[in-house]
Amino acid sequence: MTLKTLIAGAAIALLATGASAQTIKVGVTPGPHAQILEAVKPIAAKKGLDIQIVEFSDYVVPNTALEAGELQANSFQHQPYLDNQVADRGYKIVSVGTTVNFPIGIYSKKYKSLDDLPVGATVAIPNDPTNGGRVLLLLKDKGYIKLRDGVGFKPSVADITDNPKKLKIVEIDAAQLPRSLPDVDAAGINTNYAKEAGLDPVKDPILREDPKGPYVNVIAVRTQDKDKPWVATLVESYHSPEVKAFIDQTYKGAVLSSW
């Protein structure tokens, strides 16, 4: 074997082991978003993309960090939330691919049904406009409250026009809702935080959002990066059959793939 052949073989070996891989940091929230991205990592690595996962405990900082260039992408939010953040904060961030849907649920440690809630019961909802709005829309759709016409996907407590049971709606940080559940009569909790707290998002809610809706989660990047090759590789790796199988087998309907 010639020296030239040996050098060529060594170069191929280095490529195969990812020595030339591009590294990106992707922000996620703990639970399914982080777990799914762990399943994406080895697939992306085979395509020359090294994903470093950075976990955040809330829904605000991942977009701030992305805008600042501390991350190259994030995967934690649905499109209405991203749209709201862009409108409110002027972020130059866009979605480049869909990921999964987490139907939000209303949980209770005290009651088996929302019909059982007493007059004046306390219902906790996420304190961000889109996720809090999801719970209000869910209550509206099931006839527990009425909302002002034209509220779209972001109703607030101020938009309630009729509240026959005089429910007391309190707004709490989404990550704290599972911990607050024993102290309220019911709470609307996002699936990732519910699972992290040991709740079953399929069996435990006393009311659950229709999984077919506008709240499919997305991968977001800075607008200036959206056409870069690594973005296509990231989305392609996420949308692989292996990741879809992982989601189906791991979450058994609590988390639904979008592709």
Side-chain angles (χ1 to χ4, degrees):
M1 184 178 292
T2 67
L3 179 60
K4 184 176 180 181
T5 303
L6 285 171
I7 293 172
I12 293 170
L14 284 171
L15 286 171
T17 57
S20 63
Q22 181 174 0
T23 299
I24 62 168
K25 292 182 179 179
V26 182
V28 295
T29 44
H33 280 303
Q35 294 159 3
I36 295 168
L37 207 59
E38 287 286 0
V40 175
K41 277 187 69 169
I43 297 163
K46 292 177 183 177
K47 301 175 186 291
L49 187 64
D50 174 32
I51 297 174
Q52 293 184 357
I53 300 172
V54 183
E55 292 192 18
F56 296 89
S57 61
D58 65 23
Y59 288 157
V60 177
V61 182
N63 279 333
T64 304
L66 178 57
E67 174 74 9
E70 296 166 9
L71 305 171
Q72 282 67 57
N74 65 39
S75 175
F76 78 101
Q77 64 194 321
H78 50 64
Q79 189 67 51
Y81 182 83
L82 175 58
D83 291 342
N84 186 69
Q85 288 266 291
V86 169
D88 286 354
R89 299 170 184 248
Y91 291 150
K92 292 180 173 60
I93 297 172
V94 295
S95 61
V96 290
T98 60
T99 57
V100 291
N101 197 2
F102 298 78
I104 203 166
I106 297 179
Y107 299 77
S108 177
K109 294 288 190 182
K110 302 173 183 177
Y111 302 99
K112 300 290 187 183
S113 164
L114 275 179
D115 290 339
D116 298 334
L117 293 183
V119 172
T122 299
V123 179
I125 67 173
N127 65 356
D128 64 87
T130 48
N131 286 300
R134 290 173 76 176
V135 181
L136 294 178
L137 288 170
L138 183 54
L139 291 170
K140 169 189 173 288
D141 290 343
K142 300 302 181 181
Y144 291 100
I145 60 173
K146 290 183 180 179
L147 297 171
R148 179 176 56 82
D149 291 340
V151 294
F153 296 130
K154 297 190 295 181
S156 69
V157 174
D159 293 315
I160 298 173
T161 59
D162 191 25
N163 185 358
K165 279 200 168 186
K166 303 186 186 307
L167 300 175
K168 296 175 184 175
I169 311 294
V170 297
E171 296 174 291
I172 297 174
D173 181 76
Q176 301 303 317
L177 281 164
R179 191 178 303 171
S180 304
L181 187 55
D183 302 320
V184 297
D185 295 299
I189 304 176
N190 293 82
T191 295
N192 56 319
Y193 291 128
K195 285 187 68 67
E196 195 177 346
L199 297 167
D200 186 324
V202 176
K203 298 177 182 178
D204 290 342
I206 59 175
L207 193 61
R208 192 178 188 223
E209 186 179 59
D210 185 338
K212 296 178 180 179
Y215 298 106
V216 176
N217 284 248
V218 297
I219 296 170
V221 303
R222 290 184 297 169
T223 305
Q224 68 192 61
D225 292 336
K226 66 183 179 66
D227 296 320
K228 290 184 176 177
W230 63 261
V231 174
T233 301
L234 174 60
V235 175
E236 182 183 87
S237 301
Y238 204 114
H239 287 181
S240 64
E242 296 94 330
V243 173
K244 184 178 180 65
F246 171 82
I247 293 166
D248 292 343
Q249 293 165 12
T250 303
Y251 304 110
K252 304 184 187 308
V255 180
L256 305 171
S257 60
S258 65
W259 69 97

